[in-house]
Amino acid sequence: MSAHETETLSDAEHASFEHPPFEHPMDNIIVRPLDFEVEKLEPSQVVWSETSPEFAIYLNAFGVHVPYFERYLIRSMSTAKKHVTDERLRADMSAITGQEAHHAKNFLTFNKLLADRYPRVSELDERARKYFTEHAKTDSLKKLVGFTAGYETFTFLAGMIILANYEKWMQDSDPAIKALWVWHQVEEVEHGAVAFEVYKELFGDHEWYRKYMILTALTHIGKEALAAYFHMARVEGYFKNPVSAVKATWFVFATFGQMVWHSLPTFSSRYHPRVHPLATTKQNKIAVAWRRYLKKGGDVLTIDRAKMKEIIGFG
């Protein structure tokens, strides 16, 4: 743990990480090269959650630009790694780039289906590609790492929020797409501290800039995700009557609002992802069981109700 990182934690918190009562999900990050057969779906099946169709649209919308951010993150961590000397952190940087490379590969495949279903997705996809490709080339090291850390604030929070609402949002859904998103959320939590720690290692004295980048990332995520969401909801017919229009609108702002609310602790100068309230309460049972199940050779490429029951009851 770097000097800057230690400064953000109390002595008791620091000690608890050295002798934790449980294996913290951010320890021993593993790269899992999984390929999900999402291309077998028809475009008409992309609203993949029967439990909450609005949630499926929300994640689909969020996922349009995510693969290009993940490539930006890879560039950010690869560039910053030359300036980091802490071997544990360097290993985590290698792990996060490995995880994100596999995320991007799977989501780019799925986004082709979204483009077949929604006329504007190709335009939004290309806009995201150009934005992140250009900024990956021109951003300073501080901006690369700062924006990555800011953005990862919300993918980390989304991972915990989504897994906590599994039964409410994902229980009855397409097995392959559900499996894809469970994998993604588990790993977003696992590497949720890496970019933060890199920023603290390299630019820890510039705390104001870290907070500014959180707001910058939030604005960017909101702009991209909301544009895609309302387009998709309109195509799916949600705005043909006032009741469904209100339902769709309420869902997206309420869900996005959860991320904003849970981001408030990140603005503390003593913040560290490991001590976020969502990360230090009882660990999510699905995430814990999923890791254990896969480690023992279980198949997590499709997850239906029966498979999730098996995963949770495994071991």
Side-chain angles (χ1 to χ4, degrees), residues 25-26 29-30 32 99 186-193 291:
M26 294 177 181
I29 302 170
I30 299 171
R32 307 174 181 93
Q99 287 188 338
V186 169
E187 294 196 342
E188 288 300 325
V189 175
E190 288 178 345
H191 66 234
R291 293 187 194 97

Side-chain angles (χ1 to χ4, degrees), residues 153-154 156-157 161 207 210-211 214-215 218 256-272 275-278:
T153 297
F154 297 100
F156 162 66
L157 293 175
I161 292 168
E207 179 66 10
R210 181 185 72 83
K211 297 172 184 177
I214 294 174
L215 294 174
L218 175 63
F256 196 75
Q258 284 191 57
M259 283 207 307
V260 174
W261 172 256
H262 287 297
S263 74
L264 295 181
T266 71
F267 290 93
S268 168
S269 60
R270 296 183 62 80
Y271 172 72
H272 189 287
V275 297
H276 190 284
L278 290 180

Side-chain angles (χ1 to χ4, degrees), residues 223-272:
K223 175 185 175 182
E224 296 298 317
L226 291 176
Y229 178 85
F230 282 112
H231 169 61
M232 292 176 182
R234 187 169 288 106
V235 171
E236 298 300 338
Y238 276 88
F239 292 95
K240 290 182 178 179
N241 70 75
V243 174
S244 60
V246 169
K247 183 180 180 182
T249 303
W250 171 256
F251 182 89
V252 70
F253 283 111
T255 306
F256 196 75
Q258 284 191 57
M259 283 207 307
V260 174
W261 172 256
H262 287 297
S263 74
L264 295 181
T266 71
F267 290 93
S268 168
S269 60
R270 296 183 62 80
Y271 172 72
H272 189 287

Side-chain angles (χ1 to χ4, degrees), residues 37-172:
E37 296 184 343
V38 297
E39 69 277 2
K40 292 185 177 181
L41 272 71
E42 296 295 328
S44 60
Q45 297 175 298
V46 295
V47 182
W48 46 270
S49 175
E50 295 179 19
T51 306
S52 177
E54 297 84 8
F55 173 72
I57 296 171
Y58 177 81
L59 274 194
N60 289 349
F62 185 78
V64 170
H65 74 281
V66 162
Y68 301 108
F69 164 72
E70 289 168 335
R71 290 179 172 179
Y72 178 94
L73 178 151
I74 292 169
R75 174 65 177 267
S76 169
M77 294 294 99
S78 298
T79 303
K81 192 174 182 180
K82 295 177 287 188
H83 304 276
V84 173
T85 58
D86 183 277
E87 289 303 320
R88 192 272 309 165
L89 183 53
R90 286 173 59 85
D92 285 350
M93 293 169 77
S94 295
I96 189 177
T97 57
Q99 287 188 338
E100 295 288 25
H102 292 291
H103 294 178
K105 177 184 176 183
N106 279 276
F107 283 112
L108 286 171
T109 299
F110 183 58
N111 285 352
K112 292 177 183 178
L113 284 175
L114 297 179
D116 288 338
R117 176 68 175 173
Y118 304 110
R120 283 199 63 206
V121 162
S122 293
E123 170 198 335
L124 295 171
D125 181 277
E126 180 62 13
R127 183 172 81 182
R129 187 193 67 79
K130 287 183 177 179
Y131 177 89
F132 283 111
T133 300
E134 180 64 25
H135 280 270
K137 295 176 181 177
T138 60
D139 283 354
S140 66
L141 178 62
K142 184 178 180 181
K143 175 70 179 294
L144 280 167
V145 177
F147 186 78
T148 299
Y151 199 104
E152 284 286 288
T153 297
F154 297 100
T155 55
F156 162 66
L157 293 175
M160 293 185 289
I161 292 168
I162 289 169
L163 291 175
N165 286 277
Y166 171 85
E167 293 183 357
K168 180 180 177 182
W169 290 340
M170 301 177 72
Q171 186 161 267
D172 290 313

